[in-house]
């Protein structure tokens, strides 16, 4: 699990193709919704819980895109560290 410096972005890196982003109002008070999004290492959204409303799904996708640069930074660091650990 990795977090950015302000700790409002959280990612759990299972592997390069299965990364779970947790968007939480507790971590980022500006977030409109809390939820989880599965992405690949390039931040392509692979899965969002189908029980989320359309508005929530759309918002979570937009949130990921808005914070894309910060997510990419923590994912690069996290994937590198994960690879060092499992080698």
């Amino acid at each position: 699990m990795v977090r950015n410096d302000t700790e409002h972005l959280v990612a759990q890196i299972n592997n390069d193709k299965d990364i779970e982003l947790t968007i939480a109002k507790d971590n980022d008070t500006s977030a409109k919704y809390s939820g989880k999004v599965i992405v690949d290492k390039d931040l392509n959204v692979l899965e969002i819980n189908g029980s989320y409303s359309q508005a929530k799904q759309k918002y979570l996708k937009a949130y990921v895109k808005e914070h894309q640069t910060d997510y990419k930074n923590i994912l690069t660091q996290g994937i590198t560290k994960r690879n060092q650990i499992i080698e």
Side-chain angles (χ1 to χ4, degrees):
M1 185 163 293
V2 292
R3 296 176 180 265
N4 70 335
D5 293 337
T6 61
E7 296 194 5
H8 74 278
L9 300 181
V10 179
Q12 179 175 323
I13 302 168
N14 300 318
N15 59 55
D16 290 356
K17 297 177 184 161
D18 182 7
I19 300 165
E20 183 176 292
L21 306 180
T22 301
I23 299 161
K25 292 193 276 186
D26 290 343
N27 295 339
D28 183 357
T29 55
S30 71
K32 183 176 179 180
Y33 296 106
S34 293
K36 296 186 179 201
V37 178
I38 305 296
V39 298
D40 63 17
K41 67 179 180 172
D42 297 317
L43 292 173
N44 296 307
V45 175
L46 304 176
E47 182 181 330
I48 296 181
N49 189 327
S51 67
Y52 293 165
S53 70
Q54 290 295 320
K56 184 173 182 176
Q57 289 182 37
K58 184 177 179 180
Y59 175 81
L60 294 175
K61 286 179 184 177
Y63 186 95
V64 171
K65 186 171 185 166
E66 178 183 341
H67 295 89
Q68 186 172 6
T69 301
D70 291 330
Y71 273 126
K72 282 189 177 190
N73 288 337
I74 65 171
L75 291 182
T76 299
Q77 294 170 13
I79 289 169
T80 300
K81 188 66 169 178
R82 181 184 181 279
N83 290 340
Q84 289 172 349
I85 292 169
I86 62 173
E87 287 179 351

